[in-house]
Amino acid sequence: MTINPTLLFLTRLILFVAAVVAGAWLGQGAGEQLVYSIASLTDRDIAELKDMLIWGTISGLFVGALTGAWSALRLIGAGKLVQRGALVLLAATAFGGAGLMIASFDWPKSSGIPSVQYELRLPPGITASDQGDLDVDLTIWDSRSGHGCYIESIRLVGDRYEIAGAFLLHKTDPHQTMSLRLNNATEGYWQLPIKPDAALEKEFGPWQRIEFIAPPRQVSPLPPGDYEIRYRVRKYM
């Protein structure tokens, strides 16, 4: 039986294009997932590795497309020279993509301004504001000024609110305080147990009961109860 050369050519072309498109789609997803895995293994936020994520996605797309092209060439019985050329191009692209990902990795600093994660537990009975949300403001104070703390999440666990986020420590003041303001009405201050030269920590420290100190100005005190907090010096900025 004689096969129509035109039909054979079109079949091989369709197979080749489909393999390239499928490989590019799978490779792009694999490259993205690889960077997310690296972020998880190195304890980094994916936002800190945005350049690596871009290059990982692009590299994965090209590596996947070339893998699909090489596989299709083998399947349709292309010449050995063509197959070897595609394999060499695939290897070069893979090595080049790996190099770009390594170069774009935001390597952690060994010194600098400490970035501290915190988790704060409020006592039972704390209620939300009249607008239906718990209004929380956390601030770090040194001898001259204060700056706000980033709040990542506020969630109700059982009958207690838990607040999580991060803040930066001033490098010039070893005696810093932290304040909590609830629903724009009550406020409390405590001494930070972390110093500007604190070492990095892989895990959170133990929960600590907050011992409030005299506020620097006249404020309405927080509702009574056990306020607990724990810290982790995660990285240097």
Side-chain angles (χ1 to χ4, degrees):
M1 178 179 179
T2 303
I3 300 177
N4 188 311
T6 303
L7 180 60
L8 181 61
F9 172 78
L10 289 175
T11 302
R12 289 177 173 178
L13 179 61
I14 292 171
L15 177 61
F16 181 82
V17 172
V20 170
V21 172
W25 181 73
L26 292 172
Q28 178 179 332
E32 181 179 329
Q33 188 56 50
L34 174 61
V35 179
Y36 273 92
S37 299
I38 292 172
S40 177
L41 289 172
T42 57
D43 191 27
R44 306 292 296 278
D45 192 295
I46 193 63
E48 301 172 30
L49 304 180
K50 58 182 182 299
D51 291 338
M52 190 182 193
L53 180 60
I54 292 171
W55 284 116
T57 303
I58 294 174
S59 300
L61 186 149
F62 281 101
V63 170
L66 288 171
T67 301
W70 175 71
S71 301
L73 289 172
R74 286 178 56 87
L75 186 61
I76 64 180
K80 295 294 184 182
L81 185 61
V82 175
Q83 292 186 39
R84 288 172 185 166
L87 185 59
V88 169
L89 183 58
L90 170 59
T93 303
F95 280 112
L100 287 170
M101 290 176 62
I102 293 172
S104 61
F105 181 74
D106 184 15
W107 297 94
K109 297 180 180 179
S110 59
S111 63
I113 300 173
S115 175
V116 183
Q117 288 182 308
Y118 69 86
E119 292 182 347
L120 172 65
R121 286 176 179 166
L122 304 183
I126 299 294
T127 57
S129 64
D130 295 336
Q131 287 73 32
D133 297 320
L134 183 67
D135 187 3
V136 178
D137 180 58
L138 286 155
T139 307
I140 301 296
W141 302 90
D142 64 7
S143 56
R144 295 175 296 178
S145 62
H147 65 271
C149 300
Y150 170 66
I151 296 176
E152 181 180 356
S153 65
I154 301 174
R155 58 182 186 145
L156 189 60
V157 180
D159 58 352
R160 304 180 70 175
Y161 276 103
E162 288 190 3
I163 305 158
F167 59 84
L168 298 178
L169 280 179
H170 292 283
K171 285 291 290 181
T172 57
D173 192 342
H175 306 292
Q176 299 172 60
T177 58
M178 193 169 182
S179 68
L180 167 66
R181 187 174 177 84
L182 293 177
N183 296 329
N184 204 29
T186 59
E187 195 167 357
Y189 291 75
W190 65 95
Q191 193 76 43
L192 268 179
I194 306 172
K195 302 304 179 186
D197 59 351
L200 298 182
E201 300 170 298
K202 292 186 176 181
E203 304 290 343
F204 275 99
W207 287 99
Q208 307 173 30
R209 187 176 186 275
I210 296 177
E211 301 293 339
F212 292 104
I213 60 176
R217 57 191 178 87
Q218 187 67 34
V219 298
S220 299
L222 292 167
D226 288 336
Y227 294 79
E228 298 174 308
I229 194 168
R230 61 180 182 175
Y231 310 92
R232 176 196 173 199
V233 184
R234 181 171 176 265
K235 62 179 180 178
Y236 297 119
M237 302 294 290

